Amino acid sequence: MWTKKEVAKRLQIEWPIIQAGMAGGTTTPELVAAVSQAGGLGTLGAAYMGAEQIRTAFGAFRKQTDKPFGVNLFIPEPFDPDQPVSEAVRQAMNDVRKSLQLPPDPAVNRYTESFEEQITVVLEEKVPVFSFTFGMLDQKWIRALKQQGATVIGTATTVREAAALEESGVDMLTAQGSEAGGHRGSFLPDSPSNLIGTMALVPQVVDRVRIPVIAAGGIMDGRGIAAAFALGAAGVQLGTAFLTCVESGAHPLHKKAVREASDESVVLTRAFSGKPARGVTNAFISLLEPMEQELPTYPVQNGLTRDIRAAAAKQQNKEYLSLWAGQAASLSQDVSAAELLHRLVEEAEEVRRRL
Amino acid sequence: MWTKKEVAKRLQIEWPIIQAGMAGGTTTPELVAAVSQAGGLGTLGAAYMGAEQIRTAFGAFRKQTDKPFGVNLFIPEPFDPDQPVSEAVRQAMNDVRKSLQLPPDPAVNRYTESFEEQITVVLEEKVPVFSFTFGMLDQKWIRALKQQGATVIGTATTVREAAALEESGVDMLTAQGSEAGGHRGSFLPDSPSNLIGTMALVPQVVDRVRIPVIAAGGIMDGRGIAAAFALGAAGVQLGTAFLTCVESGAHPLHKKAVREASDESVVLTRAFSGKPARGVTNAFISLLEPMEQELPTYPVQNGLTRDIRAAAAKQQNKEYLSLWAGQAASLSQDVSAAELLHRLVEEAEEVRRRL
């Protein structure tokens, strides 16, 4: 079994606590640097960033610390940009646009960034840790990353996905329990159920694979960290807990919604991106809930909601923002990332002592 | 914060490990007695038993040990026995009946046992621990149970339900995470989401209430037990882990299905009872899945599937049995209850030491 120490050593960090690579502006270079500087592993959520934007973020990060850090990208999947959108969905979205003073039926120029361009920058910049979600990484990239000494981390939501990732040659994997905020990392088809809670997922994955397992989903404080290690994880990944930190670039209304969330107000939805993701419920989620089955798939729906999310952010309207959050959002704190990391380590040690 | 020791002391047991009161024949007096005799708390799942059947089970239990034990009942809820059943559902169920050589459209004589009669026996027999699920217990019963020194335990699936139960005066509560097998204990309406994972539910409930919290959902071994205590629980409840024990009355095909389950093959369904419950997927669940929304509510659907489940059990056909199981079913073992309890305690201690 892998120990916390071995994982920390491999990642060249002090504590095996990883800040999740949340996409969409949350993971500013300031947040990533603060986490890494404090002894954890900061991760740039670069999925929605173009190659040059990623390079600029690396530069900004490296001005602040010489500690290692990670980058997270989404594995691209085939999609039909011309898939039909049902009239009910189109009408509902245009009603929202009207309320935000936006023109109807916007043209979407681009649904995703080029993965090849993104990962090429990751390689050129010799990023120490590369993590990915939504699928398997091509062998050529795994080889190239390993050749230059990078640690490669995949994301699994089931035992089957974990086994497939191990087989592909990744160094470690994140076991993402159903409590996790943001997008579900699920990628294997024909799954009767891929919403496995962290408590059930982690030990089953640990028993199945030989590589280190990083637990994610519902971990917000020292209690969750100690629990994850008890389950056999050798590292932990926290997203929501870092989202509300001072250095996070999440919209102030997003941070507020997360801090004020209850366990029940955090729901799974395809409304914003076409892919199941967890966040605080709001008017947009409720509006599209009855047509959840008809929504376009990812990344088409993501492209179609871009103007709505941007306008809502500008207009300070949380009802049309994606308020990603995990199921223990109510445990989030309004502190600096360094202070949070410090508290996490102290609390986990306290929990360990009282057990 | 409540400690494990305090809860064990209050329940007059050695280890704060509770065998869940699974309804439907699993919790034989032999299983309940074996768990209690080994130092945990055995619980008779008496929800589907009539008053005299319960009394007989108590007698059988008491012949085997003088240790304390618990009884679990379902709180009754109003229902319409004459609710219309859609033609699609009726047809699908009659097709199943035909394949099992059963006559179509059976008359259902009784949907539930009398709760008043059930709890009257519990009081008359001075049962040390009474736990309930699916709602709140009437004040008169809480008072009567407490007056004779019984410990009263409610079941919550959200922080709001936990707060309501504490307010009602229960002594402890079980926080049932979404990983749990069998019926969801949810009872408060208007919940955007009541499938909260154990990792997220337990610490939020612990922070909200002042009474001891017993963690349930996905706990199968010493790792899960240590994790639950790390999260702040002062006791743990395991169902699936005890279901496969030698003394359990679960159908042999049920035990086999649980042991061979994967994380992904355990799904949530209303097919068997009309109320969401978690079990290993099979032909019956798949058949009714497309009409999940149209199914009659509990306990009407439960009454309507009774003949099917009984025939499937007799004919050794697992495809039409309710194969209740939690999301970590694959960690189950084929051992005696005493041996399981012994292993759980040892493993949890080992985990504690390596943390």
Side-chain angles (χ1 to χ4, degrees):
Chain A
M1 214 181 79
W2 292 90
T3 66
K4 293 171 276 184
K5 274 190 190 160
E6 287 165 326
V7 165
K9 194 179 166 192
R10 169 69 199 255
L11 297 172
Q12 295 184 276
I13 56 181
E14 202 173 346
W15 319 105
I17 299 174
I18 301 175
Q19 164 251 310
M22 298 163 277
T26 297
T27 62
T28 58
E30 289 68 36
L31 177 66
V32 179
V35 174
S36 288
Q37 184 60 30
L41 187 81
T43 308
L44 184 74
Y48 298 146
M49 295 164 77
E52 283 320 301
Q53 229 184 326
I54 297 177
R55 207 188 298 272
T56 306
F58 291 168
F61 170 87
R62 283 188 167 123
K63 267 190 203 152
Q64 296 172 63
T65 177
D66 56 358
K67 304 271 183 181
F69 69 106
V71 176
N72 184 274
L73 290 176
F74 294 166
I75 302 297
E77 47 201 316
F79 67 97
D80 174 9
D82 301 319
Q83 61 187 281
V85 177
S86 83
E87 192 46 36
V89 169
R90 195 182 141 251
Q91 193 53 57
M93 306 249 292
N94 278 339
D95 286 349
V96 171
R97 289 192 180 96
K98 201 172 170 186
S99 80
L100 295 169
Q101 284 101 46
L102 287 170
D105 303 316
V108 179
N109 298 318
R110 194 167 44 177
Y111 286 104
T112 56
E113 302 295 330
S114 155
F115 182 78
E116 178 130 6
E117 284 174 27
Q118 290 175 319
I119 198 161
T120 299
V121 178
V122 169
L123 284 160
E124 285 172 2
E125 296 283 331
K126 302 212 171 357
V127 172
V129 179
F130 177 73
S131 63
F132 59 93
T133 183
F134 296 173
M136 309 271 284
L137 183 61
D138 232 64
Q139 285 300 316
K140 67 171 173 183
W141 301 124
I142 294 186
R143 265 196 304 270
L145 285 159
K146 285 184 151 191
Q147 226 156 42
Q148 60 183 45
T151 302
V152 182
I153 308 178
T155 308
T157 64
T158 63
V159 172
R160 198 161 52 109
E161 288 176 350
L165 284 164
E166 178 182 43
E167 179 82 11
S168 79
V170 301
D171 298 299
M172 304 182 182
L173 62 85
T174 302
Q176 185 197 36
S178 60
E179 295 93 334
H183 282 104
R184 302 289 308 144
S186 306
F187 61 91
L188 285 184
D190 307 319
S191 182
S193 167
N194 55 21
L195 283 167
I196 325 285
T198 303
M199 185 71 97
L201 180 65
V202 171
Q204 291 182 96
V205 168
V206 166
D207 285 354
R208 178 64 179 77
V209 302
R210 290 178 199 191
I211 54 178
V213 174
I214 297 153
I219 306 173
M220 294 291 293
D221 57 21
R223 294 176 292 187
I225 291 176
F229 289 139
L231 293 174
V236 291
Q237 179 169 290
L238 290 71
T240 311
F242 284 106
L243 188 146
T244 57
C245 282
V246 178
E247 297 92 340
S248 142
H251 194 288
L253 291 176
H254 185 175
K255 293 186 184 183
K256 187 166 181 278
V258 169
R259 280 198 293 263
E260 293 171 357
S262 75
D263 54 337
E264 290 180 73
S265 69
V266 175
V267 302
L268 206 63
T269 183
R270 286 180 60 233
F272 287 105
S273 73
K275 201 186 258 296
R278 200 177 284 289
V280 182
T281 191
N282 61 9
F284 193 68
I285 293 175
S286 302
L287 177 74
L288 296 189
E289 206 271 321
M291 348 175 177
E292 183 91 9
Q293 306 298 323
E294 306 165 36
L295 293 177
T297 57
Y298 179 87
V300 172
Q301 179 69 357
N302 195 54
L304 290 174
T305 63
R306 201 173 286 142
D307 63 326
I308 292 173
R309 290 178 281 124
K314 258 193 213 165
Q315 296 173 30
Q316 309 295 323
N317 185 339
K318 78 175 164 72
E319 296 304 328
Y320 302 103
L321 281 177
S322 54
L323 306 169
W324 303 141
Q327 287 187 324
S330 82
L331 302 178
S332 59
Q333 306 175 54
D334 181 10
V335 289
S336 72
E339 173 62 21
L340 176 63
L341 203 79
H342 177 74
R343 287 186 193 180
L344 294 174
V345 171
E346 284 241 312
E347 282 169 13
E349 178 54 26
E350 257 173 57
V351 171
R352 196 186 68 76
R353 273 197 303 260
R354 77 159 160 75
L355 273 185
Chain B
M1 215 181 80
W2 291 89
T3 66
K4 293 171 275 184
K5 275 191 187 160
E6 286 165 328
V7 164
K9 195 180 166 191
R10 169 68 199 257
L11 297 172
Q12 295 183 274
I13 57 180
E14 203 173 344
W15 318 105
I17 298 175
I18 301 175
Q19 164 251 312
M22 298 164 278
T26 297
T27 62
T28 58
E30 289 66 36
L31 177 65
V32 179
V35 175
S36 288
Q37 184 60 30
L41 186 82
T43 308
L44 183 74
Y48 299 146
M49 296 165 75
E52 284 320 300
Q53 228 184 327
I54 297 177
R55 207 188 299 273
T56 306
F58 291 167
F61 170 87
R62 283 190 169 119
K63 266 190 202 150
Q64 297 172 64
T65 177
D66 55 0
K67 304 272 181 178
F69 69 106
V71 176
N72 184 275
L73 289 176
F74 294 165
I75 302 297
E77 48 201 314
F79 67 96
D80 174 11
D82 302 319
Q83 60 188 283
V85 177
S86 84
E87 192 46 38
V89 169
R90 195 182 141 250
Q91 194 51 58
M93 306 247 294
N94 277 340
D95 286 350
V96 171
R97 289 191 181 96
K98 202 171 168 188
S99 80
L100 295 169
Q101 283 103 44
L102 287 171
D105 303 315
V108 179
N109 298 319
R110 194 168 43 175
Y111 286 105
T112 57
E113 301 295 331
S114 156
F115 181 79
E116 178 130 7
E117 285 173 28
Q118 290 175 319
I119 198 161
T120 299
V121 178
V122 170
L123 284 159
E124 284 170 4
E125 297 282 330
K126 301 212 173 355
V127 171
V129 179
F130 177 73
S131 63
F132 59 93
T133 184
F134 295 174
M136 309 271 284
L137 183 61
D138 231 65
Q139 284 301 316
K140 69 171 173 184
W141 301 123
I142 294 186
R143 265 196 305 270
L145 284 158
K146 285 183 150 190
Q147 227 156 42
Q148 60 183 44
T151 302
V152 182
I153 307 178
T155 307
T157 64
T158 62
V159 172
R160 199 160 53 108
E161 288 175 351
L165 284 165
E166 178 181 44
E167 179 81 10
S168 78
V170 300
D171 297 301
M172 302 181 183
L173 61 85
T174 302
Q176 184 197 37
S178 59
E179 295 91 335
H183 282 104
R184 303 289 308 146
S186 304
F187 60 90
L188 285 185
D190 306 320
S191 183
S193 167
N194 55 21
L195 283 168
I196 325 286
T198 303
M199 186 70 98
L201 181 64
V202 171
Q204 291 182 95
V205 168
V206 166
D207 285 353
R208 178 65 179 77
V209 303
R210 290 177 200 190
I211 55 178
V213 174
I214 296 153
I219 306 173
M220 293 292 293
D221 57 21
R223 293 175 292 186
I225 291 176
F229 290 140
L231 293 173
V236 292
Q237 179 169 288
L238 289 73
T240 311
F242 285 107
L243 188 147
T244 57
C245 283
V246 178
E247 298 92 340
S248 144
H251 195 287
L253 291 176
H254 185 174
K255 293 186 184 184
K256 186 164 181 280
V258 168
R259 280 198 293 263
E260 292 171 359
S262 74
D263 54 338
E264 290 180 72
S265 69
V266 176
V267 302
L268 206 64
T269 182
R270 286 180 61 234
F272 288 104
S273 74
K275 201 186 258 295
R278 198 176 287 288
V280 182
T281 193
N282 62 8
F284 193 67
I285 293 176
S286 302
L287 177 74
L288 295 189
E289 206 272 321
M291 354 178 173
E292 182 91 9
Q293 305 299 321
E294 305 165 38
L295 293 177
T297 57
Y298 180 89
V300 172
Q301 179 69 359
N302 195 56
L304 291 174
T305 63
R306 199 172 289 141
D307 61 327
I308 293 173
R309 289 178 282 125
K314 258 192 213 164
Q315 296 173 28
Q316 309 297 324
N317 185 339
K318 78 175 165 73
E319 297 303 328
Y320 303 102
L321 282 177
S322 54
L323 306 168
W324 302 141
Q327 288 186 324
S330 82
L331 303 178
S332 59
Q333 306 176 54
D334 181 9
V335 290
S336 72
E339 174 61 20
L340 177 62
L341 203 79
H342 176 75
R343 287 186 194 180
L344 294 174
V345 171
E346 283 240 314
E347 282 169 11
E349 178 54 25
E350 256 172 60
V351 172
R352 196 187 66 77
R353 273 196 303 259
R354 77 158 158 76
L355 273 184

